[in-house]
Amino acid sequence: MEVALAIETYIASVAFFTLLRELRAYRELKNCTRKTVMGREIYECPDVDYYSYKTLNGKLLLYKGSTEDEAAYYHELGHLFFDNFALDPLLASTVIFPIFLLPFPVSMLVLALAFIAVKWFRKLQERRADLFAYEMTGQKYKPVRPERNKLELIL
């Protein structure tokens, strides 16, 4: 009974995170300009910082920061071209899922393993986007706040 409730809660949290992200994207889509980059149609939206999002129906949104930064632009294009954004709500909910199984003794181990797996997957996505930006611009992309040690990559 408790496991079924936990699974239902997990499915509801995935649906909630997905719905939240989609509503935000469609609300902001009206302020974006359509553009073709490398044979793909993207929507460039003005924003404070650079980040990207892909809607469930395949629209690519690139939020362009207020300062012109070619490396950050291509870094976010790398996310749009190579990342699977449908996994983001799933990954965010993966860390939440073991919390609902707290009555079981294994839940903390599952929580720790899920957290490490999600952080590892995100690090691989960032590396792929960094390599794409480096290939396009020839300059090394440096995030605003680089990690000082390997422990910060996990936490």
Side-chain angles (χ1 to χ4, degrees):
M1 179 68 180
E2 291 175 354
V3 174
L5 182 62
I7 291 172
E8 290 171 3
T9 307
Y10 175 70
I11 291 170
S13 64
V14 169
F16 175 73
F17 285 133
T18 303
L19 180 68
L20 216 61
R21 292 170 61 97
E22 289 294 311
L23 287 174
R24 179 176 181 231
Y26 280 106
R27 187 178 63 233
E28 294 178 354
L29 193 60
K30 59 187 168 198
N31 298 329
C32 302
T33 57
R34 186 182 297 183
K35 187 176 180 182
T36 302
V37 177
M38 296 180 185
R40 296 190 186 186
E41 184 178 284
I42 67 167
Y43 292 87
E44 281 189 2
C45 310
D47 208 323
V48 178
D49 204 4
Y50 284 87
Y51 59 99
S52 54
Y53 180 70
K54 183 177 183 179
T55 62
L56 289 178
N57 67 354
K59 291 184 179 176
L60 305 174
L61 280 74
L62 181 108
Y63 295 92
K64 198 171 178 183
S66 56
T67 60
E68 194 67 32
D69 188 358
E70 187 181 21
Y73 181 82
Y74 282 110
H75 174 86
E76 294 305 326
L77 273 181
H79 282 301
L80 284 177
F81 293 164
F82 300 117
D83 290 357
N84 187 355
F85 285 86
L87 288 178
D88 285 348
L90 184 70
L91 292 173
S93 301
T94 300
V95 177
I96 294 172
F97 180 62
I99 295 173
F100 300 117
L101 296 174
L102 284 179
F104 300 105
V106 180
S107 64
M108 292 315 245
L109 176 66
V110 172
L111 176 64
L113 291 175
F115 184 73
I116 291 171
V118 167
K119 290 300 269 183
W120 182 260
F121 186 75
R122 294 249 192 252
K123 182 64 181 167
L124 291 177
Q125 286 181 333
E126 288 300 319
R127 178 164 168 69
R128 191 177 325 132
D130 288 344
L131 290 174
F132 180 76
Y134 178 74
E135 181 181 314
M136 297 307 291
T137 62
Q139 66 185 33
K140 185 175 179 180
Y141 175 73
K142 293 183 181 176
V144 175
R145 192 188 67 78
E147 298 87 7
R148 287 180 290 240
N149 57 33
K150 297 296 179 190
L151 184 61
E152 286 188 23
L153 295 176
I154 295 174
L155 302 176

